[in-house]
Amino acid sequence: KPKAIVIGAGIAGIASAIRLSVKGYEVDIFEANSKPGGKLAEIKMNGFRFDAGPSLFTMPQYVDELFKLAGKNPEDYFEYQKLKEICRYFYEDGLRLNASADLDKFAKEIEEKTDSTAKEVERYLNKSQTIYEATHRVFLERSLHKIKSYLHWDTLKSIFRFGQIDAFRTQAKANRSFFKDDRIAQLFNRYATYNGSDPYQAPATLNIIPHFEYHYGAFLPKNGMYSIVAALVKLAEELGIRFHYNQKVEEIIYSNERKPEVQGVKVNDKIYKADVVVSNLDIWFTYKNLLKNIAQPKKLLNQERSSSALIFYWGMDGNYSDMGLHNIFFTEDYQKEFNAIWKDKTISSDPTVYINISAKHIRGDAPAGSENWFVMINVPANNGQNWDVLIKEARTNIIKKISRLLNRNIEKDIICEQILDPRSIESKTGSYQGALYGNSSNNQFSAFLRHPNFSSKIKNLFFCGGSVHPGGGIPLALLSAKIIDDEIH
Ligand code: FAD
């Protein structure tokens, strides 16, 4: 059997391993941590369970596909439900919106409570769909870096539609033209943060993102986000894939010829041979630490990083009936918040706060009468800011804001706490500067400035995960594994 080694057991690494195994490879995964999952991790504390990273699950079909490829029924491994309510939005002026997955209902609510109309919502989401149709084959599902990708008829059709992808104005500008009410423009501007970008700089092409939620739906695994990892690891182990935990890869080994070929990896000074190597690490660290003697693609590596996050995991004594699974508490001045993050590299005094409470659906995630709050704000990638001071200030501002908008003193309900910040995101998951999604998508060329899924210098070396093409987030990370699958014969 040919041998493959995958470096890193993040979601894309596990997906790549499954695909290679199905292709007939004998696969070993080396993972630096003691557990699989990378950014998809969980925390247990005082009877509470938290998903530490991703909380929103979209495009579950990309996970199902892996089970089907292996000839298994996905439902035998993990279950998920389609959410009826996508998110609850809270504004400083008292406006509250409960975004229903039933679009007509949501559009009607917007029409009733704001100056925007149902028609505006419909026009906006139609545009979102057009962008999806014009881009997904080229930008998401194929390598942008191989001529053969452009020779498909559906790719060519997409290229003819490029005029429709709204790449030449910012998302915020486009959304101002779609919506009379600034608060609705703000609601849809937030989607830029799904890949760690700034709606005031990023192209309106990012308006593709709501299509995933409003057309395909938002989902929740029955046992929480970490059960996606657990299910995929179970499948991988059944396929005979070997996981080696606490094994940090030190180097990728390749032959010394004019056209080098990959030979394996070095772990704890020992060499493990392989015909194919897939790196699931942040591409920045792959070059910096594992491929020291090869020319670095400086332009790609030096792109602006995506934003990072500051998260408080709070065990809350009490139930909050105003809140749902996903909740957003908006700042009054969104541009000021993004200027603080992107221009001043700091945290605004009134940040938009996202709170996820999985216990609203998964009762076992919190003891009776209490709730598990995942409280997150967007923050800049780590450039050596004084995080301890920033975290203290942010904590005070968040508590004041949520207490104000819920009209209830939340601080007294916090019974236990853990914190994740850009520094710990980098040390725990190997993500350079703690960026959540690799590079930012703050300009219209970003899609072309992500590293391809293969090495043009070393034969049979591939790259998957949120820092390379097609981008960050679970669905795109899974697509990177699929593109590699298409490239390996
Ligand atoms: P990663 O998760 O980055 O894993 C890489 C793995 O490589 C790690 O396990 C690491 O330990 C290992 N590694 C590093 N160096 C070495 C080495 N030298 N040797 C061996 N192993 C090594 N996405 C969504 O879709 N929805 C969300 O709601 C969402 N929210 C998020 C919230 C937070 C707080 C975070 C952090 C991320 C969020 N994301 C979300 C993004 C999503 O988590 C990532 O895009 C995705 O999980 C990245 O997976 P990956 O395959 O790139 O690997």
Side-chain angles (χ1 to χ4, degrees):
K1 262 191 179 183
K3 285 197 171 177
I5 287 178
V6 176
I7 312 171
I11 184 99
I14 302 170
S16 301
I18 290 170
R19 287 177 176 278
L20 283 163
S21 174
V22 170
K23 259 198 155 81
Y25 282 78
E26 186 181 332
V27 188
D28 286 272
I29 304 190
F30 290 92
E31 166 54 53
N33 286 338
S34 59
K35 278 189 189 152
K39 296 187 183 72
L40 248 163
E42 70 178 350
I43 294 175
K44 290 184 176 159
M45 148 174 80
N46 298 31
F48 294 89
R49 193 199 71 86
F50 299 86
D51 282 307
S55 51
L56 177 68
F57 185 31
T58 51
M59 308 299 268
Q61 63 269 36
Y62 295 152
V63 177
D64 288 349
E65 190 181 331
L66 296 167
F67 294 98
K68 290 180 188 159
L69 262 181
K72 310 276 184 179
N73 177 7
E75 284 165 27
D76 293 341
Y77 290 80
F78 94 126
E79 288 173 49
Y80 53 84
Q81 56 163 314
K82 189 167 180 179
L83 297 173
K84 292 201 175 78
E85 179 182 272
I86 292 193
C87 188
R88 294 193 188 180
Y89 296 97
F90 300 78
Y91 294 81
E92 285 283 349
D93 64 2
L95 173 67
R96 289 185 181 190
L97 295 169
N98 288 0
S100 167
D102 173 347
L103 252 182
D104 291 339
K105 202 168 155 198
F106 182 38
K108 199 161 158 246
E109 187 186 6
I110 287 181
E111 182 153 309
E112 276 166 17
K113 292 186 178 170
T114 77
D115 294 335
S116 274
T117 60
K119 195 86 205 139
E120 286 174 20
V121 178
E122 188 190 317
R123 268 186 52 229
Y124 173 81
L125 287 169
N126 283 343
K127 179 69 186 179
S128 184
Q129 172 152 10
T130 304
I131 299 173
Y132 176 78
E133 284 165 1
T135 54
H136 72 112
R137 292 242 189 277
V138 197
F139 285 102
L140 304 182
E141 290 164 20
R142 299 227 168 90
S143 178
L144 277 179
H145 316 86
K146 293 259 163 140
I147 302 263
K148 70 170 196 265
S149 300
Y150 296 92
L151 301 178
H152 286 273
W153 174 234
D154 52 8
T155 316
L156 285 171
K157 267 198 303 198
S158 299
I159 291 170
F160 292 134
R161 297 181 67 180
F162 267 10
Q164 301 173 334
I165 71 173
D166 220 353
F168 296 104
R169 56 178 176 168
T170 65
Q171 187 182 34
K173 195 158 184 207
N175 291 353
R176 252 203 329 267
S177 77
F178 278 110
F179 298 106
K180 264 201 290 301
D181 195 308
D182 288 345
R183 295 166 300 180
I184 305 307
Q186 179 177 29
L187 188 154
F188 288 106
N189 282 347
R190 192 180 72 90
Y191 284 91
T193 67
Y194 277 35
N195 68 9
S197 303
D198 171 0
Y200 296 91
Q201 297 184 59
T205 314
L206 292 195
N207 278 332
I208 186 178
I209 300 173
H211 184 67
F212 292 106
E213 254 175 73
Y214 284 98
H215 182 80
Y216 292 101
F219 297 83
L220 178 72
K222 190 173 158 225
N223 295 318
M225 296 297 286
Y226 194 69
S227 68
I228 305 173
V229 173
L232 288 175
V233 168
K234 181 164 183 259
L235 170 67
E237 284 175 343
E238 282 172 13
L239 291 171
I241 294 166
R242 291 181 293 257
F243 287 80
H244 307 271
Y245 297 114
N246 299 309
Q247 302 287 317
K248 188 168 182 173
V249 173
E250 289 145 11
E251 199 179 332
I252 294 171
I253 311 290
Y254 48 90
S255 59
N256 240 339
E257 307 138 5
R258 209 167 51 86
K259 281 195 164 173
E261 252 184 70
V262 86
Q263 292 180 323
V265 299
K266 190 155 108 189
V267 188
N268 292 328
D269 278 336
K270 192 171 161 200
I271 294 195
Y272 294 84
K273 295 210 152 191
D275 304 289
V276 164
V277 171
V278 178
S279 174
N280 180 211
L281 259 69
D282 190 319
I283 192 72
W284 201 89
F285 279 120
T286 304
Y287 277 99
K288 181 155 188 296
N289 295 339
L290 308 188
L291 288 171
K292 287 182 201 130
N293 300 319
I294 204 101
Q296 314 253 319
K298 288 209 181 72
K299 188 157 188 227
L300 303 192
L301 297 183
N302 292 338
Q303 290 300 306
E304 177 186 53
R305 302 292 287 175
S306 83
S307 53
S308 185
L310 168 60
I311 303 147
F312 298 92
Y313 306 91
W314 286 336
M316 300 293 287
D317 183 17
N319 286 317
Y320 285 69
S321 57
D322 293 4
M323 293 166 80
L325 173 68
H326 300 289
N327 309 273
I328 290 289
F329 296 81
F330 272 125
T331 176
E332 252 189 324
D333 190 342
Y334 221 14
Q335 184 143 24
K336 186 171 160 215
E337 178 179 357
F338 284 105
N339 284 345
I341 296 174
W342 293 99
K343 298 207 165 72
D344 305 333
K345 313 272 183 234
T346 187
I347 302 177
S348 138
S349 54
D350 177 28
T352 295
V353 184
Y354 164 66
I355 302 183
N356 176 261
I357 311 173
S358 68
K360 293 281 183 195
H361 288 259
I362 309 167
R363 269 319 315 164
D365 279 357
S370 49
E371 292 179 347
N372 60 340
W373 283 24
F374 165 109
V375 182
M376 175 178 139
I377 59 171
N378 295 308
V379 304
N382 181 20
N383 287 297
Q385 295 90 330
N386 189 341
W387 288 109
D388 293 335
V389 170
L390 290 178
I391 291 169
K392 210 165 158 227
E393 282 171 9
R395 189 179 187 280
T396 308
N397 291 332
I398 291 170
I399 289 173
K400 268 203 230 145
K401 182 179 181 73
I402 308 303
S403 299
R404 185 169 63 237
L405 289 178
L406 291 179
N407 202 12
R408 174 168 169 181
N409 172 4
I410 65 158
E411 189 166 23
K412 64 170 184 27
D413 287 344
I414 304 173
I415 47 178
C416 55
E417 172 179 80
Q418 277 191 39
I419 299 174
L420 192 69
D421 65 53
R423 297 165 303 183
S424 42
I425 292 174
E426 174 169 324
S427 65
K428 285 184 174 175
T429 72
S431 188
Y432 177 50
Q433 295 183 335
L436 299 193
Y437 305 98
N439 294 340
S440 80
S441 295
N442 280 346
N443 70 64
Q444 62 265 57
F445 306 109
S446 307
F448 298 96
L449 293 169
R450 284 185 176 271
H451 199 288
N453 302 108
F454 58 90
S455 165
S456 53
K457 302 256 161 35
I458 303 171
K459 199 171 165 214
N460 292 332
L461 173 60
F462 297 89
F463 308 105
C464 65
S467 70
V468 293
H469 179 69
I474 297 169
L476 300 195
L478 289 170
L479 283 177
S480 70
K482 189 170 178 171
I483 293 171
I484 290 178
D485 192 355
D486 292 341
E487 295 299 328
I488 296 177
H489 304 289

